[in-house]
Each structure stands twice: as structure tokens, then as C-alpha cells.
Amino acid sequence: MTSPLGALRVRGRAGSADRRTGSGQGRGRRSLPVLLAYAILVPGALLFVAPFAWLVSASFQHVGDIFSWPPQWIPEDPTLDNYKTFFGIPTESTRSGASADVLRWFANSVFVASSITVLQLFFNAMAAYVFAKRTFPGRDTIFLLFLATLMVPPQITLIPNYLVLKHIPLFGGNDILGQGGHGWLDSYYGLILPGSVSAFGIFLLRQYMLTIPDELLDAARVDGAGEFRVFWRVVLPLSGPALAATAIFTFIYAWEDFLWPLIIISSPEHYTMPLGLALFVVKNRTAWDMLMAGSVVATIPVLVIFMIFQRHFIKGISLSGLKG
């Protein structure tokens, strides 16, 4: 005859076995979607990484081996001459296409992209705070007008922006009426200030700031904090992930922008990296070896920025209402 304690032990072992069986079946059911997701994502990731991998490989190859077929993913005779020639360092095979202005292009791109990023973070965050946490007549209507500008192709505004910059009063030889000179054309002002505000950045930050409890802001006001102090000491620190996501978007866009600098910049001392790389692409001959090396160099800052802020970037996207 089985004792009550023995019966309880038997039931306990049977329940544990049932739970293990059930959890195993659950893992089996969950593993199929996971395997299917990996089967789709891994080939897709390889497809997107392959061009960059070939770019890096080609930057270490001689110009005669770059377009060999099949492609050489691992160079048989790797060389650093492409990078040395790109930076203007003399080599045994240095050609006249070597550039001595690469560091200036790089410094210009860093200055312009960083300035645009800082200005956008400040102005976009202030506008987003007003749209998210302040109440005033016409707030929602104005915000919808901001969003409507996202549907306007940027090519449409190129000529109006060009004319506005050309006729800025008292700059670039212009008089008080904005006539007689070139205004902000061919200057850092023209490269930076038109991109200092973004409707998309305002939208992204507003969606995140809506999740901040109003009680925190009210508590700060009760303690005597003004609106700007509430914004600076309470809202901004809590919006770190969204600010990081906005910074990455803005920096990458400003770093890779080619069309706008091409239109307004005419002096080589204001060239950015995209404009400088375009000098290696000519009508009858393209310096592919130096172009590959320069493209790798121009991509490194973007990768570094993304690797540093990737966690904040993913968190900001997932918490700001933009995830699928």
C-alpha cells in the first residue's frame, strides 16, 4: 500500500515530466518560425553585405584585377598603393590623379555633418517638445502641415533654396536688399543652415516625447523650473534613445549628401568627400583603384557612428512608434 507521501512524489514526478514534454513541444513549435526567419534573413543579409565586401576587396587590388571575372573576393596580390595614392603619398606607380586635398575634404565633411546633426538635435527637439507637451491654438494643424512637407520631393525645393541663399542680405557681397553678390553660395553657411531643421526629425522626437509622463513635467514646474529648464533637464535626458536615432539618420544623410553641395559649392576648399570622390570619375577615364579606396575611407565614419549608437538607435525606433 502506497503512503500519501509516496503518492505525492509520484504525482510530482509525473507533473514534471508533463511540463518537460509540453515545453519541448512548445520549443518545437516555436523553432519552425525561427528557422524560417533565418532562412530568409541570412541570404538577404549576405546579398546586402556582398557589394561592400567586394568594395573593400577591390580597394586592395591592382587596377587590372578589379574587374576580373570571376570576382576576386580575396586579393591574390594585395596592395596598399591605392590608399597611398588616394592620400597623395608617393609610390612606385603614383600617377597624376593622386589627390592632396583628401584631408580637407574629410575635415569639411566632418564639420558640415556634425554641425547639421547638432543643430537638428537642438531645433528638432525643441519643436517636438512644443508639439508633444504644450497646448496652443492650431497645434495639431501646424503639425500636420509639417508632416505634409515630407511628401514634397526635395528636388522641387532646390531652385527656391538656391535663390534664397543667393540673395541673403549683407553676406557674400550683397547689399541690404540682397543684391550684387553671391550671398551664402559657396560657403559653409549654405551647406549647413538649410539642413538645420527636419520635419522627419521633429516627427520622430515628438512620437517619443508623447510617451514621457506629464506628471514628471508637472513636478518639475511645481519645483519652480521654467519651460526651457523642464525641456533641458527633464525631457532631453529621457529622450536619449530617440535623439540617438535622429543623430544617426541626420549624420548619415548629411555625410552622403552629394546633390546640394554640387549645386552651391564652386571652390575646391569647400568640397566635401562625395564631391571630392566625384573628381576621380571623368568622361574618358575613371581612376577605379583610387575611387574604391576613397569610397572605403568615406564609409568608415558612418560605420563607426552606427556601431557606437546602434543600441540607442534600435531602442529609439522601437519606442517612437515607427516600428512595423
Side-chain angles (χ1 to χ4, degrees), residues 46 76 107 124 131 153 155 194 202 231 233 255:
L46 293 176
E76 296 180 357
N124 291 351
F131 285 127
Q155 292 80 7
I202 294 174
F231 164 75
R233 293 294 182 89
W255 182 271

Side-chain angles (χ1 to χ4, degrees), residues 1-13:
M1 185 173 181
T2 306
S3 64
L5 181 58
L8 288 175
R9 290 175 178 173
V10 172
R11 293 195 190 98
R13 287 194 294 269

Side-chain angles (χ1 to χ4, degrees), residues 176-196:
I176 191 65
L177 299 178
Q179 303 294 328
H182 57 81
W184 280 352
L185 299 179
D186 195 25
S187 68
Y188 292 115
Y189 294 108
L191 287 173
I192 295 172
L193 293 183
S196 59

